Amino acid sequence: MFQNAACSSKPRRRPGNWRAYHKAGGAGLAVLMSVSTPLAQETPASARQFTLDVAQRLEWSDNPDLAIDGEDRLLARTSLRFGLERRTGIDRLSFSLGGDLEVSNDDATGFERPSLSLAWQRDVGHSQIGAAFDFNEVELGNTTSTTFDEDTQSTDFITVDSGARQTANLSLTGAFGIEAPFGGSYRLSQRQVRYVDTSDSDLQDADRLSFDGDLHFELDPRITLGLAAAYTDFDEEGPGDLDTVTSRVESYLELDVTPRLTSRIGLGWQEIEQSGTSDLTRDGLVFDASLTQALPRSTMELQTQSRITSNGRRNELRFIHSLERPLGSLRYSLGVSQTEDLDPAPLFGLSWRRELPRGAVSVDLEQVATTDTDDAEVVNSQLSLSYQQDLTTRSGFGLEFVMRDSDERADSGTDSRSYNLGLTYRHAVTEDWDFTGGISMVRVEEDGTADRDSNTVFIGLQRQLVWN
């Protein structure tokens, strides 16, 4: 997958796995029917901070599960989120725990959407080590909860079901030689995906074990040689399961052609082995290259990549241009992707944000070509429009529109599309408590299935408590 975030002037080199990658779709997409609480105060270099988020909400929806013949529901929800962060000069420990208690008129009472996260990181000199664990549950009936996820971006990108998806992640990370001539990094992770009370046979439980590492050697301040390796074992469970093992080794060269012109060239070998409903092995050379030119107020980048997928070789080419202005930023990309004998698919990207005197407006478009766990070639697209405006010093509103589109490339493929439109209002009742209210409208369209709609109205109170 290409990086869509444009690069500015070249940063000081760090091990490859510690570079920031822009995830398509981004987890930062706002949920339409919620209003964020005030940001917690920044903790100093050495500090301990506790946070408690409390929210009480009453909502009515005419079709909360987005079923074809759905029924309305009146719901009262109490949300609690507790967080702890401890930071010293060399390490950081964070913990959070939360969930929702729901009571509805259909006697569906219980604890929903539990979440737990624990992370630790230690920095000593030119090295880092860290560990993290997180668990969360999202409802598949709420289309705003699906994003471009590493494992599920193709299977439930626009899947609407009555159940939920539970994910548990455990990871170990480390790096040495940071900002040094010789260094490296690694990441080992185990991920579990479980579906609860779902009826869609395409939603398979799965385990994913992955490792990726990087070694680099700086020949001089302008030239760096590196070796990167990655291994992934994706194991589905249940009828029609398909297990996939992917391994890749690549060497690369990073070169500062001039102080403002940088380049990267990588060449390696990739192999994919599948077993289960089908057995196949594909392997071959892989290649990627990029050229980045930093200008006084903008950056231009040209990227190309050739990878092996279970459907054959996929080639991509993308041009990215980003501009920074005092009142906003603009980034756009133009590209094309082609897999084996399929027709080329155009790929577009756009990110624009404009600061207003008392608000902001933004537009984001992201497109990704990928192979799902059923070996189907799809192009997933996400378009979001957002407008935030402060009415007074104590109140404001937000308007957001999100469209998701999943286009299966095969002639017999199933295409899906969802539309989300939401309006939220916030008013500071007191210094600590905020009143929130709003409406949300969702529509889902899928080939071979009747269209589904859901309309929701809600009001609530929320507060965040912070102790340092």
Side-chain angles (χ1 to χ4, degrees):
M1 185 183 300
F2 285 109
Q3 301 179 47
N4 286 352
C7 300
S8 58
S9 57
K10 184 160 185 170
R12 299 176 67 185
R13 285 194 175 89
R14 305 187 65 169
N17 293 339
W18 293 89
R19 296 188 177 95
Y21 284 84
H22 179 77
K23 289 289 186 183
L29 178 65
V31 177
L32 291 180
M33 296 191 296
S34 68
V35 178
S36 61
T37 56
L39 294 176
Q41 306 169 26
E42 292 187 4
T43 57
S46 179
R48 182 181 291 111
Q49 184 179 81
F50 300 89
T51 59
L52 177 63
D53 291 274
V54 182
Q56 181 65 55
R57 174 167 162 154
L58 180 66
E59 70 175 46
W60 175 86
S61 177
D62 61 356
N63 186 12
D65 295 324
L66 279 168
I68 295 178
D69 296 316
E71 298 180 354
D72 64 282
R73 182 176 65 187
L74 180 64
L75 174 73
R77 176 185 300 142
T78 301
S79 300
L80 294 175
R81 298 289 186 274
F82 170 78
L84 164 66
E85 181 182 45
R86 186 186 68 85
R87 180 181 298 175
T88 69
I90 60 173
D91 67 359
R92 175 180 176 181
L93 176 67
S94 62
F95 169 80
S96 67
L97 176 67
D100 299 336
L101 178 63
E102 294 185 349
V103 180
S104 65
N105 62 342
D106 57 4
D107 298 327
T109 301
F111 186 72
E112 304 291 341
R113 288 174 293 280
S115 64
L116 169 68
S117 68
L118 178 65
W120 171 77
Q121 181 176 303
R122 185 179 181 88
D123 299 283
V124 181
H126 295 285
S127 64
Q128 283 183 343
I129 187 172
F133 171 79
D134 66 82
F135 170 86
N136 70 83
E137 178 181 286
V138 296
E139 295 179 354
L140 295 176
N142 179 5
T143 58
T144 60
S145 63
T146 55
T147 58
F148 284 97
D149 184 82
E150 188 171 12
D151 294 327
T152 61
Q153 61 179 332
S154 301
T155 56
D156 64 0
F157 180 58
I158 310 182
T159 293
V160 178
D161 210 309
S162 57
R165 183 184 73 234
Q166 297 176 343
T167 58
N169 303 275
L170 176 64
S171 64
L172 301 174
T173 58
F176 66 94
I178 300 175
E179 310 293 353
F182 176 72
S185 64
Y186 66 87
R187 177 182 175 85
L188 176 64
S189 65
Q190 172 71 39
R191 174 186 178 91
Q192 290 186 340
V193 179
R194 298 292 183 265
Y195 292 94
V196 181
D197 298 329
T198 58
S199 58
D200 191 337
S201 60
D202 290 335
L203 301 178
Q204 299 269 21
D205 294 346
D207 295 329
R208 182 181 187 272
L209 174 66
S210 64
F211 171 82
D212 56 88
D214 174 277
L215 291 174
H216 73 272
F217 180 69
E218 193 174 274
L219 297 179
D220 68 37
R222 297 187 306 113
I223 303 174
T224 297
L225 295 177
L227 180 66
Y231 172 86
T232 301
D233 185 351
F234 185 74
D235 184 5
E236 286 187 327
E237 300 178 4
D241 61 346
L242 184 64
D243 304 333
T244 305
V245 176
T246 304
S247 55
R248 177 172 58 87
V249 178
E250 182 183 63
S251 59
Y252 62 87
L253 167 69
E254 293 182 344
L255 174 65
D256 290 345
V257 182
T258 69
R260 290 183 172 272
L261 180 63
T262 61
S263 64
R264 184 189 190 278
I265 299 176
L267 182 65
W269 183 267
Q270 184 176 0
E271 181 181 77
I272 295 178
E273 293 182 275
Q274 286 189 334
S275 60
T277 54
S278 66
D279 296 313
L280 67 84
T281 299
R282 292 185 184 272
D283 54 34
L285 290 172
V286 291
F287 169 81
D288 67 84
S290 65
L291 191 65
T292 305
Q293 174 69 57
L295 302 174
R297 287 193 174 183
S298 67
T299 302
M300 293 187 296
E301 183 172 5
L302 183 65
Q303 299 177 346
T304 182
Q305 179 176 268
S306 180
R307 288 284 186 262
I308 302 297
T309 74
S310 55
N311 289 322
R313 181 174 296 276
R314 179 188 296 140
N315 300 307
E316 292 189 4
L317 177 67
R318 194 182 294 251
F319 170 77
I320 304 171
H321 188 200
S322 65
L323 302 94
E324 294 292 338
R325 294 292 183 268
L327 296 180
S329 61
L330 170 67
R331 188 189 79 244
Y332 65 89
S333 64
L334 305 172
V336 62
S337 174
Q338 182 179 27
T339 302
E340 281 300 309
D341 300 327
L342 296 175
D343 293 334
L347 300 177
F348 302 99
L350 174 66
S351 179
W352 175 70
R353 180 177 176 84
R354 174 77 173 182
E355 299 294 337
L356 304 175
R358 300 176 65 178
V361 59
S362 64
V363 179
D364 288 281
L365 170 65
E366 199 77 46
Q367 290 189 306
V368 174
T370 186
T371 304
D372 69 11
T373 53
D374 293 323
D375 279 349
E377 287 293 307
V378 296
V379 174
N380 286 335
S381 306
Q382 182 169 278
L383 170 67
S384 60
L385 311 174
S386 176
Y387 175 62
Q388 304 291 330
Q389 182 67 52
D390 290 336
L391 300 176
T392 68
T393 57
R394 301 175 63 89
S395 64
F397 73 91
L399 178 66
E400 186 166 25
F401 170 78
V402 179
M403 183 191 74
R404 291 185 175 94
D405 180 87
S406 184
D407 179 15
E408 193 167 328
R409 303 292 311 287
D411 294 336
S412 58
T414 300
D415 299 336
S416 313
R417 182 173 294 180
S418 70
Y419 305 89
N420 305 65
L421 177 63
L423 173 65
T424 58
Y425 171 78
R426 176 190 58 82
H427 182 82
V429 180
T430 67
E431 184 177 348
D432 299 320
W433 286 95
D434 286 347
F435 166 82
T436 63
I439 59 174
S440 172
M441 293 169 283
V442 180
R443 181 177 179 84
V444 175
E445 301 173 353
E446 186 175 359
D447 291 348
T449 304
D451 297 342
R452 288 157 286 177
D453 298 276
S454 175
N455 302 289
T456 303
V457 180
F458 74 92
I459 57 173
L461 290 172
Q462 60 188 26
R463 180 182 183 181
Q464 181 179 72
L465 305 174
V466 181
W467 298 274
N468 288 317

